[in-house]
Amino acid sequence: MAEINASIGTDKRLWRQDIAGSRAHVTMLGAQGIVAGDDVAAILAGLDTIEAEYAAGGLVENPALEDIHMHVETRLAELIGPAAGRLHTARSRNDQVATDFRLWVRAACAEVDTGLTALTSALLTRADEHADTIMPGFTHLQVAQPVTLGHHLLAYVEMLARDRSRFADAAARMNECPLGAAALAGTSFPIDRAMTAAALGFARPTANSLDSVSDRDFALDYLAAAAMAGLHLSRLAEEIIIWASQPYGFVTLPDAWSTGSSIMPQKRNPDAAELVRAKAGQLLAAFQHLGVIMKGLPLAYSKDMQDDKAPVFAAHDTLGLCLAAMTGMVETLVFNKAPMRAAAASGFATATDLADWLVRAANVPFRQAHDITGRAVKAAEAKGIMLDGLSDEDLTAIDARITPAVRSVLSVEASVASRTSHGGTAPANVRAAIAAARTRL
């Protein structure tokens, strides 16, 4: 029973939040005249000592004391005697842990935002370097249309912007203080919950004492945002893995972010990217883990909720590591322009440009233009050349409305430059999007 009941091995990470919550609580108790000033001063001094001890040497775990709250309270009693017992007036471990955990998760949102910002900045820097670099855009992993590398990297900037917004939304929703809800019904002491909420940086106290101690939506919000961020990181990792393979050769991974083989000395394996791809699964599983814990719990507190912290702590550590690794890779990847340009020119990537030209220049309905372009692709395939390799006579034979003026759209450079619609891949668009993203950042 002692072993299964103890949570100190996990919740010891909350010691800073537990001490902060206790400071706010006892200060309020003193201001409300519930605890005498001398006892308040002794408790605050004792909490200062405990904070210094834990900061210097860490917490010494005692499973018999179950959790971080009892560790702090027991050490406080050792330091100041019976006055320590007054700290828990008008408070339960239920509202105490709910407050500590909210404080921790709120800070975790800010930490993740710092990591997301660093990766976004790295992507913007590389996108700026490669606003004109041509690469193939894919659908179904088949060459579809040429794009710029800068535009491709900006797609991930947009994903990370949504990730940042999700963490910001989660932090705003969780910015209510449960302290003072006590076990589940509130307290008969004349406490000032607004005072403790303000002292801990919350916008307001929570509105319902039952919900206050039983809610873990804030942790699920965090995990949902972390899962989405991990999904995005995994997609980028997968592209780096593909691009680094010899059939593509789009990127060269520096030695710092790759590993060798135990038997094949020529290998440069994208292990960091592969591990980011794998760890995304842990982030997705963490949300499922906590969701299954919470899904059948009646109000208010149940001991099941003691297991709420492990998946959140693990997910936070994993996401932070993945963000740091991905930022390092993005900053140092070597992009190989020639293979990208060659791949963009393959697969008849400018076929849509021919169809669009027929619509614009010859007033051909798009479906008819699509059919004409298909015949041009077949003709080029038969000759083993690209579309721009067809002669003027070849093109006119396919359809008399195709004139030499079509040459202006058949190169990959012309195709990319023409995509000037909002959100398009034209280099001018890319540079404007980079500037706008930096302003938002």
Side-chain angles (χ1 to χ4, degrees):
M1 179 60 190
E3 185 174 351
I4 198 170
N5 197 48
S7 62
I8 186 59
T10 299
D11 63 29
K12 62 185 177 183
R13 291 177 68 153
L14 298 176
W15 68 264
R16 289 180 178 85
Q17 290 75 25
D18 197 73
I19 290 172
S22 292
R23 281 199 184 105
H25 183 65
V26 77
T27 300
M28 179 275 296
L29 293 176
Q32 294 296 104
I34 299 169
V35 173
D38 290 347
D39 288 339
V40 171
I43 290 169
L44 289 172
L47 291 172
D48 288 345
T49 300
I50 296 169
E51 182 177 50
E53 290 174 349
Y54 287 175
L59 180 149
V60 178
E61 295 179 34
N62 180 355
L65 296 176
E66 295 184 21
D67 56 31
I68 183 59
H69 322 301
M70 294 308 299
H71 275 69
V72 172
E73 189 172 330
T74 300
R75 180 58 181 146
L76 185 63
E78 292 172 350
L79 290 170
I80 69 170
R86 301 192 184 281
L87 173 58
H88 210 55
T89 305
R91 185 177 73 171
S92 164
R93 277 194 290 181
N94 292 355
D95 63 334
Q96 190 177 357
V97 68
T99 301
D100 292 356
F101 199 20
R102 277 190 191 234
L103 287 168
W104 192 95
V105 176
R106 189 179 65 179
C109 289
E111 288 179 24
V112 173
D113 188 74
T114 298
L116 289 167
T117 299
L119 178 54
T120 300
S121 181
L123 286 165
L124 288 172
T125 296
R126 303 313 304 273
D128 202 13
E129 293 171 12
H130 294 282
D132 299 285
T133 299
I134 292 174
M135 67 172 290
F138 297 94
T139 62
H140 308 278
L141 210 56
Q142 304 292 309
V143 173
Q145 292 179 319
V147 297
T148 59
L149 175 56
H151 189 60
H152 193 109
L153 295 176
L154 285 179
Y156 287 99
V157 169
E158 293 302 314
M159 294 183 208
L160 296 183
R162 294 193 295 274
D163 290 329
R164 291 186 68 206
S165 73
R166 273 184 280 270
F167 282 106
D169 289 346
R173 267 192 303 277
M174 71 180 70
N175 202 25
E176 296 181 343
C177 184
L179 195 58
L184 76 160
T187 177
S188 58
F189 288 96
I191 62 172
D192 184 347
R193 292 191 62 205
M195 179 180 176
T196 48
L200 294 170
F202 288 104
R204 65 192 69 85
T206 50
N208 181 280
S209 60
L210 282 167
D211 181 57
S212 300
V213 299
S214 62
D215 168 45
R216 293 299 183 269
D217 287 4
F218 63 92
L220 287 163
D221 273 351
Y222 174 87
L223 291 177
M228 286 294 293
L231 187 154
H232 293 150
L233 294 178
S234 183
R235 295 184 73 179
L236 178 55
E238 171 70 1
E239 296 212 298
I240 290 172
I241 292 162
I242 292 171
W243 293 351
S245 65
Q246 281 75 18
Y248 280 78
F250 289 1
V251 300
T252 301
L253 275 170
D255 289 342
W257 295 105
S258 54
T259 64
S261 164
S262 63
I263 190 172
M264 296 168 283
Q266 83 281 7
K267 295 290 292 300
R268 180 183 275 118
N269 299 324
D271 283 9
E274 290 173 356
L275 288 166
V276 168
R277 183 177 61 183
K279 290 181 186 299
Q282 297 176 23
L283 297 172
L284 291 162
F287 178 85
Q288 182 82 345
H289 182 169
L290 183 53
V292 170
I293 289 174
M294 296 301 300
K295 71 174 183 62
L297 296 186
L299 296 178
Y301 182 83
S302 297
K303 194 68 169 181
D304 312 50
M305 293 165 67
Q306 180 170 284
D307 278 2
D308 57 359
K309 298 162 201 68
V312 177
F313 292 164
H316 183 66
D317 294 344
T318 297
L319 181 54
L321 181 61
C322 289
L323 284 168
M326 190 59 71
T327 300
M329 280 185 278
V330 168
E331 288 174 341
T332 57
L333 278 174
V334 176
F335 291 102
N336 303 319
K337 296 182 180 181
M340 287 185 171
R341 170 64 175 74
S346 69
F348 307 102
T350 58
T352 305
D353 296 274
L354 172 56
D356 289 346
W357 182 88
L358 283 164
V359 172
R360 286 194 309 269
N363 198 29
V364 177
F366 182 80
R367 285 302 174 194
Q368 188 179 346
H370 186 280
D371 180 66
I372 294 167
T373 301
R375 297 203 304 271
V377 168
K378 287 182 180 179
E381 278 183 322
K383 294 190 173 191
I385 58 177
M386 294 295 102
L387 280 175
D388 58 357
L390 291 171
S391 68
D392 292 345
E393 293 75 16
D394 292 332
L395 291 168
T396 302
I398 293 166
D399 192 281
R401 290 167 291 189
I402 304 177
T403 70
V406 78
R407 299 286 171 193
S408 64
V409 303
L410 290 184
S411 72
V412 292
E413 287 80 10
S415 174
V416 164
S418 72
R419 306 293 175 180
T420 56
S421 61
H422 181 76
T425 191
N429 287 38
V430 171
R431 292 190 174 92
I434 291 168
R438 282 180 168 154
T439 299
R440 293 196 307 269
L441 196 64

